[in-house]
Amino acid sequence: MQTLIAAIGAAALVSSPAPAQSHSDTAQAIFDHFAQDYPALNVTVMVEGEIAFEAEGGMRRGARDGVTTDYNVYSTAKLLTGLAYARLEAREGLDLDQSVRAIDPALPAAYQPVTLRQLLSHTAGVRGYTGEEDWIAFNDRRCALPSDALGHFINDPLIGEPGAQHEYTTYGFVLLSHLLVELTGADSFDAAMSASLGEAYTAQSDADNANKATTFVYAGEGLAPLPLSAECKFGGGGLIASSREMAQMGAALADGSLLSAAAIDAAFMPIQTLTGEAVSYVYGMEAGFEPSIDLHYAAHSGGSPGGRSFLMVYVEPQVVVATTANADGENHYPLALALADLYAGYSQ
């Protein structure tokens, strides 16, 4: 995700807005170029809160694989979780710099110096996956609540001093999911997200019996079904949604429904680690401001064997692009960036 800042700074230099409807043929050509590499690939583009373009394609589409079909969005869930905390901070005065043990005193003593802000920026020192075996073991767990997932990692030592380094970790966002349930007093993670984001939250937690697209993995020269549940990841990567639902959630950020312009301006500024490293990953998303075109932007990708998603939000022109697929691949970022630039009127 670190390449997003450089890419926007390099590509979005000239703004020449054109009517959204004039872009449909170009958008379809861009989409078709990428869709051929996936069993199913969906995209939704929203401009100023309205659907400007939608497309579905892929090699193995079924009758139910439309743009309203749910897919695992994996780590794109972190952006949505971050927005929940940003809104609680802006609307309810939540102190993101308080110790997480002030919210749940039962957490290990090692977590006393860990703050919500550090967890949201991956600087808390919580470990990530140690390897394939660890990833498989966590995926094999079954959880009704985020608290059910904590035992997998919460008693492991922190990998560094909280606030000292940026180290990407899904487990940190599983802990944030638990803390969100505690803060809201909700009886489920979905209820906690709804309490925080209101009607803007349209995703749902994954489960073994979830009604979602079949997941596939590339095996040898072809594709093979890969039953996969991410239910213990919650806001760290365990949500399912359609491309349309993701775009709608991004549009709620772009139009000011979730955060005011002042709150966005404050939230999208980089933070610094104790060692002086500037971290642009804040509030659960890669976010920033491009002053040459007065653009605030937020984005996150999510991927795993069995799927990939991407959510791109250009705030000021209110352009949002969401992609979903049921096999992993590297093309969602260039697809989303190309469509976002097209509908925002940005060109090199």
Side-chain angles (χ1 to χ4, degrees):
M1 291 298 298
Q2 294 294 332
T3 58
L4 178 60
I5 297 174
I8 289 178
L13 300 179
V14 179
S15 179
S16 54
Q21 61 268 26
S22 69
H23 296 315
S24 59
D25 289 345
T26 302
Q28 188 68 52
I30 292 171
F31 174 80
D32 289 343
H33 174 72
F34 293 105
Q36 60 188 342
D37 294 328
Y38 292 89
L41 175 67
N42 293 339
V43 66
T44 299
V45 180
M46 297 189 73
V47 178
E48 296 184 350
E50 301 293 332
I51 295 174
F53 176 75
E54 281 191 317
E56 53 180 314
M59 299 176 286
R60 293 194 179 186
R61 300 200 63 81
R64 58 183 296 274
D65 286 336
V67 293
T68 58
T69 296
D70 283 343
Y71 291 76
N72 287 101
V73 302
Y74 300 109
S75 287
T76 302
K78 294 181 173 71
L79 187 158
L80 307 177
T81 306
L83 287 179
Y85 275 94
R87 195 162 194 254
L88 288 177
E89 179 188 34
R91 299 286 184 92
E92 307 294 336
L94 176 65
D95 180 9
L96 296 184
D97 295 310
Q98 66 179 302
S99 167
V100 296
R101 295 186 79 231
I103 303 168
D104 182 1
L107 292 174
Y111 279 79
Q112 184 61 38
V114 172
T115 69
L116 296 171
R117 193 180 308 278
Q118 290 167 349
L119 287 172
L120 287 165
S121 58
H122 296 285
T123 60
V126 179
R127 75 172 179 90
Y129 296 125
T130 58
E132 184 176 353
E133 290 185 3
D134 182 43
W135 181 86
I136 293 173
F138 192 59
N139 277 269
D140 284 345
R141 292 180 74 103
R142 294 296 173 260
C143 306
L145 288 167
S147 56
D148 298 330
L150 297 184
H152 187 80
F153 64 90
I154 202 69
N155 292 310
D156 295 337
L158 297 177
I159 60 175
E161 180 184 1
Q165 63 182 355
H166 175 78
E167 188 73 28
Y168 188 88
T169 167
T170 289
Y171 295 137
F173 273 75
V174 174
L175 176 55
L176 281 167
S177 302
H178 164 66
L179 295 170
L180 190 66
V181 171
E182 294 291 302
L183 284 165
T184 59
D187 60 3
S188 70
F189 179 69
D190 287 332
M193 290 290 281
S194 293
S196 305
L197 297 176
E199 294 181 356
Y201 179 65
T202 55
Q204 59 180 306
S205 295
D206 193 12
D208 271 344
N209 60 351
N211 184 18
K212 62 183 180 181
T214 301
T215 52
F216 286 90
V217 64
Y218 289 96
E221 297 182 357
L223 287 161
L226 176 72
L228 188 66
S229 172
E231 66 177 72
C232 289
K233 298 180 183 179
F234 296 96
L239 299 183
I240 60 176
S242 66
S243 63
R244 184 179 297 176
E245 288 169 334
M246 283 213 301
Q248 289 169 339
M249 287 184 276
L253 172 63
D255 70 12
S257 297
L258 294 180
L259 298 173
S260 67
I264 288 174
D265 192 51
F268 283 26
M269 293 299 102
I271 66 170
Q272 281 196 330
T273 65
L274 297 176
T275 58
E277 176 190 3
V279 177
S280 61
Y281 192 110
V282 293
Y283 291 84
M285 55 193 168
E286 185 74 37
F289 176 66
E290 178 50 54
S292 65
I293 51 174
D294 195 29
L295 170 69
H296 289 89
Y297 58 88
H300 210 297
S301 67
S304 175
R308 172 67 59 174
S309 71
F310 200 98
L311 180 60
M312 174 84 75
V313 180
Y314 284 1
V315 176
E316 284 74 18
Q318 292 190 44
V319 174
V320 179
V321 181
T323 70
T324 54
N326 57 350
D328 201 5
E330 300 177 354
N331 292 324
H332 288 240
Y333 164 63
L335 169 60
L337 183 62
L339 291 174
D341 282 353
L342 174 68
Y343 279 90
Y346 297 146
S347 60
Q348 294 187 9

